[in-house]
Amino acid sequence: MGMSKNQIALDHLTEIKELGSSEEAIKQIQILVQKFPNFVLGWIEFGLIQRRLKQHELALNNFKIAHKLAPKNYKAQLNIARELKHLGNLDEANKIIDSLIKQCPKDIQIKILKGNILQCQADLNAAAKLYKSILNDNPDHLVSRLKLAHVYSQLGQIKTAITLLEESYQLLGADIDILIRLGILNQALEKWEIAFQWFDKACQEYPSNHKGYCHLAQIMFLQGEIDSATQLIQEAQAKIPDALPIILKSIEFAKQLGNFDLCYQKLKDALQRFPDNIELLWKLCSVYIKQGNYEAALEILDKISPDNTFLMKKNQELKAECYFHQYDYQKAEEHLKEAISLAPIATAANTRTRLALVMMITGRIVKARQELKIATEEITLKNPLGKTAVPLKSHTAVVTNELRLNPNMLLKLQAAQQATGKERILALGRLLIEEPNYLGASLYLAKELRTQNIFNNLQQALSHNATTVPTIPKRIVQFWNESQPPQEVQRICQSWLDYNPEYQYARFSLETAIAFLKQHYDQKVLTAFANCDQPAIQSDFFRLAYLNKMGGFYVDADDLCRQSLDNITSLNPELVVLQEEFACIGNNFLGCIPGQSMIRTAFHQATINLNHYNNEGPWFNTGPALITSVVCSGLIPYLNYPDYYMWPRILVLSQAQLRKIVIPHLPLPYKRTNKSWQQNAYQRRIGVPLKESATLSSN
């Protein structure tokens, strides 16, 4: 007697499972379910293959077919719930899970999935209670221990999480996930040596697993051991050549150090092996954004079609960044809102903070403040590890508060926003004359001069109007408070020498900067410099002092040179500044002739600010807010001039233009120290619940 149809289907299914998630497996499973359309296990296996390929919508459809064929099939229902969770349909997933728990109250898989959803919904206490209930009956259940430790860390109870994991290590041995999690938690507490030991143990115990190598290399990189980190990743890649996370880490190191040629080569090689990998495509996209090639970045993002809500959210955020850097705030806002709509509770705080910045720069101060409040509440619900910027105390919040400090001027500022075209520019100019110290007037004027193409017109006037006025001297100056910067900083500084061999180059330390100031300025200036209590403020002040006297170019130590400055000096501007993505005029890249009027004004005002009590941070007193104010104030007399040849010879680089010459703000390890102005500018917390470290404002 021949085999039954069911047995034939089962035999075929066994053969297909051996093919894994290959193209052949997809082909064979399609044939199987077409031949046996009522074969429930076939549809479930079809869904499982698609899940492994991260095709969650397709997987869900196949699980639903299996469920329709067998409504009480436990496996089908469980997989439907899993896919709904992946796709962000948490309420629908919850209903199925609650039903399954009633049927199988002791089933650990269902409880774990329920706990995952509770974590996504930021109901952390309920999740902890659930994981504890599992451990009461199954004390050696590894996954529940790891999940509970993660919930403790989300609640800010990092030491409790560490204690649980150390107990798990003693009970269950050196599991890779226990070792890695112990390293991560100790790193969050800045116990670097202990974290290093756990990651190193993971490498020793699991030499064929990528996790230990990636985390150990990352901690080396953060500690400034760049060469050791790079070497470890190279060794790991030789041991595990097909481990994509190691390849991604290698690419990330190259990008962070500004080695984009190497980055491109690594991405090209990796994409040949993994042509449709979304993370690799995102890495390529982020490189294009860093270099100002926003069209190429958007082209990549438009080709990515994820069906997972997390991946869709990330795609929308990257699109928003592209438009934000191009000063297209309307499109940036649309993509940010779409990203937030895709995010489960407590996972959109950073996106909301970005949205608040867009709202602030487009005149909606109250709405910006509301978004910052929501973002802070979301972080409160789900504490991230380690030091965390609190949205209501972030740079965006501080700038928003600055605009709110003068309610009368804020009302006038918002009224000026109702005008259009040239009238809006003139209205903002009048506000700046009325109150030169009000940041909102200069910030919004800078935005309008960009979005109404005034800065582009000034550049065109430069390129068509050769003059014999003084030119910017061929000098490049940088500042590092110590005589010997870290190795990675020296490499970035060297790029300016490599691309500009004909320029005089000097990198000042604290000692040589003081000597320069003593030679060229009086005691008032020396006192102001002595009042600079951070290296970042010393750098801000010294660049103005140097450029005022000597002219040339000042460049921050984290800015990488990409081409000769001759492309700028050939236009013969008297002042070169950059415009940040949220419209203010930055100060990390400046060029001018000696004694240029706007730089002279900024230097004079910085001296006053430092010699008189002022509780504002460096961004306001000596940094971009100051530069934005003096540049916009300096242009007020010319706002009615239709002939741009009559304006000051000023070049205001957009982000796209700037990044062809300079890659700004490379994320170098020193930025974790007080040499970065942001490290001390805003309050952060570590190792304690956010609710205890941040008092939420109600106004």
Side-chain angles (χ1 to χ4, degrees):
M1 191 175 195
M3 288 190 297
S4 68
K5 286 185 177 182
N6 195 48
Q7 187 59 51
I8 293 170
L10 281 171
D11 289 344
H12 277 267
L13 184 61
T14 302
E15 294 172 5
I16 291 169
K17 284 183 177 182
E18 294 176 358
L19 297 173
S21 302
S22 64
E23 290 182 14
E24 184 62 24
I26 291 286
K27 180 181 176 182
Q28 291 299 324
I29 197 75
Q30 286 175 325
I31 293 172
L32 179 67
V33 295
Q34 287 171 1
K35 189 174 182 180
F36 304 99
N38 295 323
F39 183 42
V40 174
L41 293 179
W43 288 107
I44 290 175
E45 185 60 31
F46 199 1
L48 291 173
I49 291 173
Q50 288 166 327
R51 173 190 293 163
R52 289 194 289 270
L53 296 172
K54 297 184 178 180
Q55 298 171 351
H56 295 286
E57 287 281 6
L58 295 174
L60 177 62
N61 289 336
N62 288 325
F63 292 138
K64 285 185 174 180
I65 291 172
H67 178 58
K68 187 175 181 180
L69 292 170
K72 294 185 179 181
N73 186 289
Y74 161 82
K75 193 172 183 180
Q77 290 185 72
L78 181 62
N79 281 304
I80 288 172
R82 283 176 175 155
E83 295 315 308
L84 287 170
K85 174 189 170 291
H86 274 293
L87 294 167
N89 300 329
L90 300 183
D91 292 338
E92 196 175 342
N94 240 338
K95 291 177 183 177
I96 296 173
I97 292 166
D98 288 341
S99 174
L100 288 172
I101 288 176
K102 289 178 181 178
Q103 298 174 39
C104 311
K106 296 291 185 180
D107 191 297
I108 294 178
Q109 281 191 81
I110 302 172
K111 287 185 176 181
I112 292 291
L113 186 53
K114 175 73 174 181
N116 288 342
I117 290 176
L118 289 170
Q119 287 179 260
C120 290
Q121 294 174 325
D123 194 349
L124 300 179
N125 290 317
K129 184 178 179 180
L130 183 63
Y131 296 136
K132 286 177 182 178
S133 73
I134 297 173
L135 291 174
N136 285 337
D137 297 327
N138 306 272
D140 60 349
H141 193 262
L142 174 61
V143 174
S144 297
R145 285 180 169 272
L146 289 167
K147 293 285 186 182
L148 181 56
H150 185 55
V151 171
Y152 282 145
S153 66
Q154 287 180 294
L155 289 166
Q157 301 170 22
I158 296 180
K159 292 181 180 179
T160 304
I162 289 174
T163 300
L164 174 62
L165 289 171
E166 288 175 341
E167 175 191 293
S168 302
Y169 173 69
Q170 295 299 324
L171 178 66
L172 304 174
D175 177 84
I176 181 68
D177 291 318
I178 292 176
L179 300 175
I180 295 299
R181 198 66 192 167
L182 279 166
I184 291 172
L185 293 173
N186 278 285
Q187 183 176 329
L189 294 176
E190 297 190 354
K191 295 182 178 179
W192 302 104
E193 290 185 11
I194 298 175
F196 185 99
Q197 290 169 8
W198 285 115
F199 293 143
D200 186 53
K201 190 170 185 62
C203 294
Q204 301 302 322
E205 296 284 344
Y206 295 88
S208 298
N209 191 299
H210 67 270
K211 294 179 182 178
Y213 300 111
C214 288
H215 283 283
L216 186 57
Q218 181 66 23
I219 204 171
M220 288 175 172
F221 190 91
L222 291 173
Q223 292 290 290
E225 299 173 19
I226 307 298
D227 292 338
S228 296
T230 304
Q231 183 179 348
L232 177 62
I233 285 296
Q234 290 172 347
E235 292 171 357
Q237 209 163 350
K239 290 179 183 177
I240 326 171
D242 294 326
L244 185 57
I246 291 176
I247 296 170
L248 287 165
K249 183 62 69 176
S250 175
I251 292 168
E252 182 61 24
F253 283 170
K255 182 170 80 78
Q256 286 184 266
L257 295 171
N259 194 341
F260 292 109
D261 290 339
L262 178 61
C263 200
Y264 276 126
Q265 187 58 52
K266 287 178 179 290
L267 280 165
K268 181 181 177 182
D269 294 343
L271 283 166
Q272 286 180 343
R273 297 169 61 189
F274 310 98
D276 298 318
N277 184 270
I278 291 178
E279 289 189 74
L280 286 171
L281 292 172
W282 281 343
K283 282 277 190 250
L284 181 57
C285 174
S286 69
V287 171
Y288 283 138
I289 291 174
K290 199 75 176 171
Q291 295 186 315
N293 193 349
Y294 307 117
E295 291 78 13
L298 286 167
E299 187 177 339
I300 291 173
L301 293 169
D302 286 338
K303 291 178 181 177
I304 298 174
S305 301
D307 64 0
N308 178 306
T309 51
F310 169 77
L311 303 181
M312 293 165 66
K313 172 178 176 285
K314 176 76 171 178
N315 232 40
Q316 293 295 328
E317 288 171 339
L318 286 170
K319 285 183 178 181
E321 281 303 293
C322 290
Y323 289 114
F324 191 64
H325 281 72
Q326 296 179 89
Y327 314 100
D328 189 338
Y329 301 116
Q330 180 178 345
K331 285 186 178 178
E333 181 174 341
E334 290 171 3
H335 288 290
L336 288 170
K337 286 182 174 178
E338 179 64 22
I340 291 169
S341 73
L342 293 166
I345 191 169
T347 62
N350 291 336
T351 313
R352 285 191 184 279
T353 302
R354 203 66 165 161
L355 178 61
L357 180 54
V358 172
M359 289 179 167
M360 182 269 289
I361 194 61
T362 52
R364 291 163 293 165
I365 305 302
V366 173
K367 287 186 177 181
R369 184 75 177 171
Q370 288 172 345
E371 289 297 330
L372 291 170
K373 283 184 178 181
I374 296 170
T376 303
E377 289 163 1
E378 287 186 347
I379 288 183
T380 305
L381 290 171
K382 185 177 181 181
N383 282 299
L385 286 176
K387 291 184 176 179
T388 304
V390 181
L392 273 172
K393 296 182 179 179
S394 66
H395 182 61
T396 299
V398 172
V399 174
T400 302
N401 287 339
E402 184 74 15
L403 302 188
R404 296 166 66 233
L405 285 176
N406 190 329
N408 181 47
M409 285 300 297
L410 178 58
L411 287 174
K412 293 181 179 180
L413 184 66
Q414 292 171 328
Q417 290 288 99
Q418 301 306 309
T420 58
K422 186 67 174 291
E423 285 305 313
R424 183 184 291 183
I425 289 177
L426 294 175
L428 291 169
R430 289 191 292 271
L431 283 183
L432 191 53
I433 292 172
E434 179 182 343
E435 182 49 77
N437 294 323
Y438 185 61
L439 174 63
S442 57
L443 184 61
Y444 284 28
L445 179 55
K447 182 196 72 171
E448 291 301 321
L449 293 174
R450 170 62 61 194
T451 56
Q452 294 194 39
N453 290 317
I454 305 302
F455 287 148
N456 289 340
N457 293 336
L458 286 176
Q459 183 171 344
Q460 290 177 7
L462 283 174
S463 59
H464 292 94
N465 185 21
T467 71
T468 57
V469 298
T471 59
I472 297 176
K474 289 196 170 187
R475 296 192 186 99
I476 299 171
V477 63
Q478 296 186 289
F479 176 88
W480 191 265
N481 67 317
E482 298 165 347
S483 59
Q484 196 74 2
Q487 191 175 43
E488 69 272 14
V489 173
Q490 293 184 49
R491 289 172 180 166
I492 303 304
C493 293
Q494 181 63 37
S495 67
W496 294 95
L497 290 162
D498 293 342
Y499 280 101
N500 302 280
E502 297 179 359
Y503 284 63
Q504 296 178 16
Y505 176 85
R507 186 176 63 234
F508 284 81
S509 65
L510 180 59
E511 183 179 350
T512 55
I514 291 172
F516 176 88
L517 295 176
K518 284 182 176 178
Q519 180 181 356
H520 295 287
Y521 291 106
D522 58 19
Q523 186 58 46
K524 180 173 61 177
V525 170
L526 290 169
T527 301
F529 190 67
N531 289 336
C532 297
D533 58 358
Q534 300 173 28
I537 306 176
Q538 293 167 351
S539 173
D540 279 351
F541 185 71
F542 179 74
R543 73 192 66 183
L544 296 174
Y546 182 91
L547 292 176
N548 178 57
K549 182 63 64 174
M550 308 296 293
F553 290 91
Y554 175 88
V555 193
D556 270 350
D558 64 343
D559 288 356
L560 177 77
C561 186
R562 294 187 67 199
Q563 63 176 241
S564 171
L565 292 172
D566 286 348
N567 293 320
I568 289 178
T569 56
S570 63
L571 296 173
N572 201 19
E574 65 177 83
L575 175 66
V576 181
V577 293
L578 68 98
Q579 190 161 26
E580 301 277 19
E581 60 267 28
F582 77 101
C584 71
I585 308 299
N587 72 332
N588 54 296
F589 178 72
L590 295 170
C592 69
I593 60 175
Q596 200 279 332
S597 61
M598 296 176 190
I599 294 297
R600 184 173 64 247
T601 301
F603 173 57
H604 175 70
Q605 187 60 52
T607 304
I608 293 173
N609 292 344
L610 289 167
N611 280 327
H612 294 81
Y613 175 75
N614 192 318
N615 63 356
E616 292 181 330
W619 192 86
F620 296 94
N621 281 333
T622 55
L626 173 63
I627 303 298
T628 304
S629 176
V630 297
V631 167
C632 288
S633 295
L635 292 177
I636 286 175
Y638 307 92
L639 295 180
N640 259 323
Y641 285 24
D643 186 352
Y644 293 104
Y645 299 117
M646 302 297 292
W647 287 52
R649 297 186 58 77
I650 177 173
L651 174 60
V652 185
L653 297 168
S654 69
Q655 285 293 296
Q657 292 169 332
L658 170 75
R659 289 164 190 262
K660 289 181 173 61
I661 305 163
V662 185
I663 301 294
H665 311 311
L666 288 175
L668 301 175
Y670 82 84
K671 294 190 175 184
R672 293 179 48 258
T673 72
N674 65 358
K675 289 182 174 61
S676 169
W677 69 273
Q678 288 184 321
Q679 188 71 17
N680 291 326
Y682 310 121
Q683 185 172 343
R684 288 157 164 80
R685 65 96 186 143
I686 183 167
V688 296
L690 185 62
K691 290 178 182 178
E692 296 177 13
S693 65
T695 303
L696 304 188
S697 174
S698 60
N699 56 3

